[in-house]
Amino acid sequence: MWLISLLIAAGVALAVPVQANAEYTFLRDFGGSGSGPGELNLPLGVSVDDDGIVYVADTFNHRIQRFDTDGTYLGEIGAEGSEPGSFSSPFDVEVDNDGRLLVADTGNRRVQRLDAESGAVDAVLGAGGSGPGKLAAPTGIAPLGDDVLVVDRDNTHVQRYGADGSLIDEWGAVGDEPGRLRTPLDLTIGDGGSVFIADAGNNRIQRFSPAGAFEDAFGGELSTPQGIDAGGDGTLFVADSGNDRVRLFDPLGSLLGGWGMTGSEQGEFDLPRGIAADCAGRVFVTDAFNNRVQVFVDPELEETRNSCELTLEDLIEMAAALDLPGRSEKLVVRSLGKVERALERGKMRSACRRLAVTSHLLGRFADILEWHIDRHHGKRGNGRSRGRGHSHDPAAITAARDLAGEIRAFAKRIGC
């Protein structure tokens, strides 16, 4: 079968456990072979949301399963088929900034966006083929603000879709040179909006700008890396699939450590593929041929933070760090301050209205920044310019859109 052939090509070379600076220890595993509730058949993708719900792409069972962080089964979405809401060998699952699921429905050559609880389809991205807006084998997804990046293994490129499902951009070409790809399988968004791609066929990780400009390549220690995720501090977690281990890198590509070896015991792997880090210091790894998910933990973070939910104070700090047109970040900070006062006075309706307005404003500011970058790009050579006291930096667009998403999530949590 085409999928099994691809995975076996990752290799099963015996790997020596890596002595890491960053020590992650085995916490638990869950799953087990089968097709029943909570059982797995070649799990390839994993994601965890801010409420601690773990979503697993149960690939050969053609469904997405939900668990809590302890591994307790909570439910499932989808079944085998080609209708909206059904799947064929889904490779990956992610949670967007609004809490919706993004599923790489690989066998159906599309990406579906669904409600995380009901499974109702909100949008379908792409269609089978090789032209613009077409997908041959989507294997990795990453939300970028309100947009979605999709890596297409067989077309060897990345496509960017807007919130309405329309194609915005595409980039990438096959090859071994820097900036070219060979069997790309996954991607993640790091600090400042940089896009990191698991370039499996070239045994490396490549870093690009959000617009697809090549920035760097690293990972000479890797063998067929198939999964990647960025932690909250920028640390990159890489599924070094051909070596049956996990590797850690800093955002500049320096190796920090790792763990794992071939096997079926705790902390051992037989094709690690999907990987997801949460803000409580846990790392979830799909151990594909062992039909389980393993959970590892950074003991220091586990002791200091167990919630991924941002407080209003967190949102205000994020707003103050923005770089918006005309120093408009001050307007956002003041607006969030008014939300705080409204909540203190019990004026929920006013607080909810202010949150909605602030989120909308951030989206408009991001649009303005993007327009300026498009207008000035090429005139100054590096995609950045200065004007009216602010920086036309692509990272500012991502930060503004991310904060807008966090504000919407906060509003939902408080009952707006």
Side-chain angles (χ1 to χ4, degrees):
M1 296 173 65
W2 62 270
L3 195 151
I4 284 288
S5 299
L6 167 71
L7 295 170
I8 291 176
V12 290
L14 183 65
V16 178
V18 181
Q19 298 300 314
N21 320 354
E23 297 224 356
Y24 281 73
T25 57
F26 175 84
L27 185 62
R28 66 178 64 88
D29 60 15
F30 57 89
S33 301
S35 58
E39 296 176 335
L40 301 170
N41 188 358
L42 200 77
L44 293 183
V46 64
S47 186
V48 57
D49 69 15
D50 288 347
D51 295 322
I53 307 299
V54 182
Y55 299 90
V56 179
D58 187 8
T59 304
F60 273 6
N61 283 325
H62 311 286
R63 64 187 177 184
I64 305 299
Q65 294 205 65
R66 295 193 304 266
F67 301 85
D68 66 18
T69 54
D70 292 328
T72 302
Y73 170 78
L74 300 177
E76 62 188 65
I77 293 172
E80 185 173 10
S82 58
E83 304 81 10
S86 297
F87 307 114
S88 176
S89 303
F91 259 61
D92 197 17
V93 58
E94 288 292 338
V95 181
D96 74 7
N97 290 332
D98 290 321
R100 298 169 298 193
L101 292 186
L102 298 165
V103 178
D105 187 9
T106 309
N108 286 322
R109 301 193 293 176
R110 65 189 180 189
V111 171
Q112 297 194 66
R113 189 172 67 202
L114 312 96
D115 182 272
E117 294 185 5
S118 70
V121 177
D122 178 70
V124 177
L125 315 180
S130 59
K134 304 289 187 179
L135 297 170
T139 54
I141 321 165
L144 180 62
D146 292 331
D147 298 341
V148 180
L149 295 183
V150 182
V151 65
D152 186 344
R153 182 199 65 203
D154 289 358
N155 284 329
T156 322
H157 63 201
V158 174
Q159 295 196 358
R160 180 173 179 172
Y161 293 87
D164 62 355
S166 61
L167 180 68
I168 295 175
D169 193 12
E170 61 179 18
W171 44 270
V174 66
D176 306 325
E177 302 85 0
R180 290 181 174 264
L181 306 167
R182 191 174 298 279
T183 319
L185 291 178
D186 198 15
L187 75 171
T188 192
I189 310 301
D191 286 346
S194 291
V195 181
F196 295 87
I197 296 181
D199 186 13
N202 285 322
N203 301 307
R204 65 188 178 189
I205 304 299
Q206 295 204 67
R207 188 177 76 234
F208 297 85
S209 75
F214 172 75
E215 294 180 347
D216 197 9
F218 56 89
E221 311 84 356
L222 301 173
S223 174
T224 325
Q226 296 198 27
I228 186 169
D229 194 33
D233 62 353
T235 299
L236 297 170
F237 298 86
V238 176
D240 186 8
S241 305
N243 287 318
D244 285 326
R245 59 189 171 192
V246 172
R247 292 280 202 173
L248 280 68
F249 296 87
D250 71 17
L252 297 179
S254 296
L255 179 66
L256 300 177
W259 68 88
M261 61 187 300
T262 303
S264 59
E265 301 298 321
Q266 295 179 352
E268 298 177 346
F269 301 106
D270 192 355
L271 192 72
R273 202 285 180 182
I275 193 161
D278 73 6
C279 66
R282 293 174 292 243
V283 178
F284 300 79
V285 184
T286 60
D287 188 7
F289 287 145
N290 285 323
N291 292 309
R292 64 183 177 180
V293 176
Q294 295 198 64
V295 188
F296 301 86
V297 66
D298 178 342
E300 293 182 6
L301 286 181
E302 178 73 2
E303 293 171 0
T304 59
R305 184 167 189 179
N306 293 309
S307 172
C308 295
E309 296 181 352
L310 295 178
T311 66
L312 187 57
E313 289 74 17
D314 292 329
L315 298 178
I316 292 172
E317 288 183 11
M318 290 172 67
L322 292 175
D323 186 12
L324 298 176
R327 299 302 179 193
S328 299
E329 62 272 12
K330 294 180 180 179
L331 175 62
V332 178
V333 170
R334 285 198 299 270
S335 185
L336 291 174
K338 291 178 181 179
V339 171
E340 187 173 37
R341 290 190 290 275
L343 290 174
E344 289 172 351
R345 296 168 185 169
K347 296 182 177 180
M348 178 65 74
R349 196 171 177 181
S350 175
C352 290
R353 185 169 58 249
R354 177 67 61 177
L355 286 167
V357 169
T358 307
S359 175
H360 177 74
L361 282 175
L362 281 165
R364 295 294 300 139
F365 290 145
D367 290 343
I368 292 170
L369 282 171
E370 194 163 42
W371 178 82
H372 275 291
I373 289 173
D374 289 342
R375 183 183 180 191
H376 292 279
H377 184 68
K379 294 182 180 180
R380 292 166 175 82
N382 60 2
R384 297 171 182 248
S385 65
R386 300 293 302 183
R388 292 189 295 176
H390 67 279
S391 171
H392 300 146
D393 187 344
I397 299 173
T398 301
R401 288 181 174 153
D402 284 348
L403 180 55
E406 294 292 355
I407 289 172
R408 291 193 295 270
F410 176 82
K412 182 179 179 181
R413 285 199 301 274
I414 67 173
C416 292

